[in-house]
Amino acid sequence: MRADVIVVGAGASGLACARRLNREGLTVVVHEARDRVGGRIHTFHPTDGGPPLELGAQVVHGAHNPVHALVGADRMITMSRRFTARVVEDGAHQDMDVLRHGRRPPWLLEAGLHRDPGQEDRSVGAWLRARGSAHPEGRAAQEWFRQNWAAEPDELSARGVSRAHGGDTGVGEGEFAVRGGFDRLPLLLAQDLRISLGDPVQEIRCLPGRVEATTVRGTTSACAAVITVPPPVVAQGRLRLAGPDPAVLDAKLAAAGRMPLGDGYCAVVTLTRRAPDTAVTFDVDGRGGFVRCSAGRPEVLFVAKAKAADALRATVRSAPALSALLETVMPWTAGARVADVTAADWGRDPWTTGAFTAPRTGCEDAVRQWAAPVDDTLFFAGEATVTGSRLPWVQGALASGERAAEELLKVLANR
């Protein structure tokens, strides 16, 4: 198979890149390992036609997020702030305001970090301790950062977190959902593109002025390739890079090895009872992450990262343990029967390996090395390439795909 450009991965970044190149008249082939497009955008649609729930990317952040223009303003829904906010701490289910009583709540601590991260590249854990954040305030703050950044606070870069927030101010305020589900976005981006699903690329070989991609179905030859998969997919050898300059590719491999994704596990638990109100629970105890339900609906959504992801993964395998956790985080579920569980295990997904790439201390150079093109034939996109400069959300992934497309177009224009 021949093409002008090969794009590896049909997530938001890969589709945005391919769409831009396709509009410039280039022949683009997108190879995707899964049998669907979207990557870490993955929507659960209840069988009764109820409102969709997101098992991957959760919300669209900001009124000026590019998603608004891509799916159409009429498809965007402002997310309601009218819900009951609860917290589980030391096994007790309480009002979220308990995190304000005699201590600083974690969201205000994170806001303080945005303003004053410090100059040196220290960890969020060190930053919290330097500000006197001790138990129980410190415990809640540590779990807050785990759930928002999918990384241990003692590994998370305070400077990287601050810079990521600063790099995303242009998207504006507010939180939004896509009417009909977030998966509408990749479906729209994929229109008119040539996408080979269930066709993972096993090796990219860089040759003078061109590349060859070996997949499970054959070989695709092109002038250039854009890799959008998470760095661990390369570091773990699922996608091999080969070429005439092993030193350059070894450096790329080393950078990928320093950029692990944090663990992530999402699950929709459908019950035989409907929720009495709309509620969100933050599990400080580290067993469930953030848990949500909607009034009149039988589903409970768990979104867990870092240590809580592995705890939830184990809990879901045991019916009694799952029922006990449900009763703790959502007391209204007591006595209800679990009718179904649908999970997205991002941490065990070989083509994702986790939730997203958090900015870790000492890894700024690895991010730059991972994002840098190779020999004007191999380009890189994906949320990992904007780690520490933008938030690891869909707008960062889209921007990285557009940036890689621009880099490639400039090279082709000069050939």
Side-chain angles (χ1 to χ4, degrees):
M1 186 187 305
R2 295 191 61 83
D4 293 321
V5 181
I6 298 162
V7 174
V8 185
S13 59
L15 294 174
C17 180
R19 181 172 180 263
R20 174 78 171 87
L21 296 172
N22 185 61
R23 290 188 170 186
E24 292 297 321
L26 296 175
T27 302
V28 184
V29 174
V30 182
H31 290 285
E32 168 56 46
R34 299 182 181 87
D35 60 0
R36 62 173 181 83
V37 299
R40 280 164 279 176
I41 296 174
H42 189 30
T43 305
F44 171 83
H45 294 274
T47 56
D48 66 357
L53 295 165
E54 302 301 339
L55 286 166
Q58 294 292 303
V59 299
V60 177
H61 296 270
H64 306 300
N65 194 301
V67 174
H68 291 262
L70 289 169
V71 304
D74 60 323
R75 289 277 180 178
M76 302 305 297
I77 308 169
T78 302
M79 296 190 72
S80 174
R81 299 276 182 179
R82 304 172 81 173
F83 57 82
T84 302
R86 307 288 286 176
V87 62
V88 171
E89 189 174 40
D90 295 325
H93 186 265
Q94 307 169 76
D95 190 276
M96 186 78 82
D97 277 346
V98 71
L99 298 180
R100 299 177 182 269
H101 296 165
R103 49 177 153 159
R104 294 164 291 183
W107 52 89
L108 288 187
L109 285 167
E110 184 169 5
L113 172 59
H114 303 169
R115 295 188 295 269
D116 180 30
Q119 296 302 310
E120 69 274 22
D121 188 18
R122 63 172 144 179
S123 72
V124 167
W127 185 89
L128 288 169
R129 289 188 289 273
R131 275 148 185 77
S133 188
H135 186 81
E137 176 186 283
R139 180 169 174 252
Q142 295 253 346
E143 190 61 23
W144 178 269
F145 277 100
R146 288 189 190 103
Q147 294 314 310
N148 282 287
W149 289 92
E152 285 300 312
D154 282 335
E155 299 175 357
L156 188 60
S157 168
R159 187 168 63 192
V161 169
S162 177
R163 288 179 176 175
H165 277 283
D168 253 31
T169 55
V171 299
E173 300 296 324
E175 293 185 341
F176 303 83
V178 179
R179 192 186 306 277
F182 215 148
D183 57 356
R184 179 174 176 79
L185 173 64
L187 292 174
L188 287 170
L189 290 174
Q191 288 181 354
D192 302 321
L193 295 179
R194 186 179 177 185
I195 302 174
S196 184
L197 296 175
D199 191 19
V201 175
Q202 300 168 324
E203 182 180 79
I204 293 281
R205 180 171 294 275
C206 297
L207 301 167
R210 64 189 181 92
V211 296
E212 287 185 351
T214 302
T215 80
V216 296
R217 294 177 187 163
T219 300
T220 303
S221 179
C223 298
V226 181
I227 292 176
T228 72
V229 300
V233 175
V234 173
Q236 295 170 9
R238 291 186 183 87
L239 171 57
R240 300 182 300 276
L241 305 181
D245 192 343
V248 172
L249 297 180
D250 285 347
K252 185 71 73 173
L253 190 63
R258 295 171 60 197
M259 298 174 65
L261 277 68
D263 198 4
Y265 187 95
C266 300
V268 174
V269 181
T270 304
L271 301 166
T272 56
R273 181 179 301 164
R274 296 177 182 268
D277 63 354
T278 299
V280 175
T281 299
F282 168 41
D283 186 357
V284 172
D285 293 345
R287 297 178 301 163
F290 284 102
V291 192
R292 299 175 175 85
C293 66
S294 296
R297 294 299 307 171
E299 302 94 3
V300 174
L301 173 65
F302 287 88
V303 179
K305 305 183 188 77
K307 291 180 178 178
D310 201 39
L312 181 60
R313 183 182 289 118
T315 296
V316 166
R317 290 196 292 264
S318 166
L322 178 57
S323 294
L325 177 60
L326 281 164
E327 187 172 347
T328 299
V329 297
M330 294 285 176
W332 63 266
T333 67
R337 183 174 59 83
V338 174
D340 183 61
V341 178
T342 301
D345 192 343
W346 300 110
R348 301 286 175 85
D349 184 328
W351 306 112
T352 302
T353 75
F356 48 74
T357 313
R360 297 173 186 266
T361 55
C363 287
E364 290 180 3
D365 60 330
V367 176
R368 288 191 293 270
Q369 290 169 5
W370 176 250
V374 175
D375 294 335
D376 288 343
T377 56
L378 200 57
F379 300 82
F380 294 81
E383 54 84 15
T385 65
V386 300
T387 299
S389 61
R390 296 197 63 162
L391 293 167
W393 298 334
V394 68
Q395 63 267 26
L398 291 169
S400 76
E402 293 278 354
R403 184 258 310 149
E406 289 297 330
E407 291 175 343
L408 195 157
L409 287 168
K410 288 179 181 178
V411 168
L412 293 181
N414 293 325
R415 281 190 182 177

